[in-house]
Amino acid sequence: MQDIHPAARTPLELIQGSLNHLGSSLDIEEVAGATTHTVVVVKGLDARPVAVAFGRYLTGVLAGAVGHDAQISADLLAQGVDAQNELKKKVVSLVGATNTFTSDEELLFRDTKRNAWIAEGLVHGIMVLRATYPSDCVNGDVHAVASIHAIPTQQGLDSVALYLDGDQLVVAIGESKATKDHGTSELTKAAEIFADIDQDEYGVQLRTELMTFRAVISADLKPQVSEALWRNHRCYLPFITHETEFNLHAKRPVLDRLSPPVERKRLIALRIENFHEFFNTVADSMRSAVYQVVI
């Protein structure tokens, strides 16, 4: 596997180097033309070193190297042989021991669990990147981010973060979908989750995340972190990871009906030319990185 930062000597250097590589390689830009939502396109995912970097980053996340403040830290980074074995088991449970999927059961795992979890990891990485690297993912720097789900298909919102738009904190709520060919239908499913949020069906989780964020947010911003924040200042982010192109700018009534304004309904499109190869490379990188991240 190509070493994208051979000078890295410590686990933290490896993880930070991976994040830096992603920050310098990905192009995340708003594309005008939609009327019911805002389109943001992520470019640069097809380069193999990007998939390798994402794999290393995700292994670092599982090992405890990324805090709720969206910063890389060794404070909770796992260490030692026992932790290494534990991390290996967790990685295998999430992405499998190999990339060979032949039976119906194996293919179902690949498509509904492995790929889905990795896609959620892409969302986490993109939001953490926004704390340091400017992009059009959201209209301001990220100041806090929720933990990634520990198991595939875990119930609940896929991503929750706080970003600063001017002097106003905004709750960014992401829903991730990974699909080779069915971008439009998966976007509709994501929009249904946001409609449930509009109907107050995720209030408990959002309050819990905000309580966690209060511990890491700066003192001058902490007064904004309240019940009113997620009710009055929220941004919906459907992240659609796909291969087959679909019309990103088409009028979407399911998005139009959602409560936030157009600039806070942001369709994040992550198109990958070789869908399965990308996920295979991320999985290979994660398995290899276990022994580099936990020592």
Side-chain angles (χ1 to χ4, degrees), residues 1 11 16 34 37 45-46 53 58 83 121 129 144 172 193 200 204 217 239 241 265 269 271 280 287:
M1 184 175 295
Q16 185 64 64
H37 57 284
L45 293 165
D46 295 305
L58 291 179
L129 277 174
I193 299 296
D200 294 343
V204 171
I217 207 75
F239 286 80
T241 305
K265 292 180 284 192
R271 183 173 178 270
N280 286 345
R287 289 186 287 261

Side-chain angles (χ1 to χ4, degrees), residues 170-218:
V170 181
V171 181
I173 304 170
E175 181 64 19
S176 170
K177 299 296 181 183
T179 175
K180 186 174 184 292
D181 300 315
H182 305 293
T184 294
S185 60
E186 293 302 308
L187 173 58
T188 298
K189 292 177 184 178
E192 291 169 353
I193 299 296
F194 299 132
D196 288 342
I197 297 171
D198 275 359
Q199 297 301 314
D200 294 343
E201 294 189 21
Y202 284 88
V204 171
Q205 182 180 348
L206 287 165
R207 291 185 197 96
T208 300
E209 299 293 4
L210 291 180
M211 288 175 63
T212 301
F213 292 160
R214 281 184 63 86
V216 300
I217 207 75
S218 62

Side-chain angles (χ1 to χ4, degrees), residues 11 30 35 50 55 76 83 95 101 116 122 127 130 135 140 158 160 193 218 253 265-266 282 284:
E30 184 176 323
T35 58
V50 167
L76 293 176
V95 303
F101 305 99
L122 300 184
M127 297 309 293
R130 190 62 182 84
S135 79
D158 291 339
V160 183
I193 299 296
S218 62
K265 292 180 284 192
R266 306 177 74 80
V282 173
D284 282 337

Side-chain angles (χ1 to χ4, degrees), residues 73-246:
S73 170
D75 291 347
L76 293 176
L77 181 63
Q79 297 181 34
V81 174
D82 289 343
Q84 191 180 80
N85 290 334
E86 179 186 19
L87 180 60
K88 180 180 178 181
K89 290 179 182 178
K90 172 55 67 176
V91 167
V92 169
S93 74
L94 291 168
V95 303
T98 73
N99 295 330
T100 301
F101 305 99
T102 54
S103 69
D104 289 344
E105 183 179 4
E106 290 168 341
L107 291 170
L108 185 65
F109 170 80
R110 180 195 68 181
D111 294 339
T112 65
K113 294 185 177 181
R114 184 197 74 164
N115 290 357
W117 187 87
I118 289 175
E120 287 186 26
L122 300 184
V123 174
H124 190 275
I126 287 172
M127 297 309 293
V128 168
L129 277 174
R130 190 62 182 84
T132 306
Y133 290 89
S135 79
D136 290 339
C137 177
V138 291
N139 291 325
D141 293 344
V142 166
H143 285 251
V145 62
S147 299
I148 194 171
H149 287 161
I151 58 175
T153 67
Q154 182 174 329
Q155 294 299 309
L157 301 172
D158 291 339
S159 172
V160 183
L162 291 182
Y163 70 92
L164 193 62
D165 186 356
D167 59 2
Q168 175 63 57
L169 280 177
V170 181
V171 181
I173 304 170
E175 181 64 19
S176 170
K177 299 296 181 183
T179 175
K180 186 174 184 292
D181 300 315
H182 305 293
T184 294
S185 60
E186 293 302 308
L187 173 58
T188 298
K189 292 177 184 178
E192 291 169 353
I193 299 296
F194 299 132
D196 288 342
I197 297 171
D198 275 359
Q199 297 301 314
D200 294 343
E201 294 189 21
Y202 284 88
V204 171
Q205 182 180 348
L206 287 165
R207 291 185 197 96
T208 300
E209 299 293 4
L210 291 180
M211 288 175 63
T212 301
F213 292 160
R214 281 184 63 86
V216 300
I217 207 75
S218 62
D220 60 318
L221 295 176
K222 190 172 293 187
Q224 293 190 40
V225 185
S226 66
E227 169 82 6
L229 181 60
W230 77 265
R231 291 190 178 280
N232 300 326
H233 302 284
R234 62 182 182 264
C235 175
Y236 291 152
L237 304 171
F239 286 80
I240 311 298
T241 305
H242 63 288
E243 179 177 318
T244 301
E245 294 189 38
F246 65 103

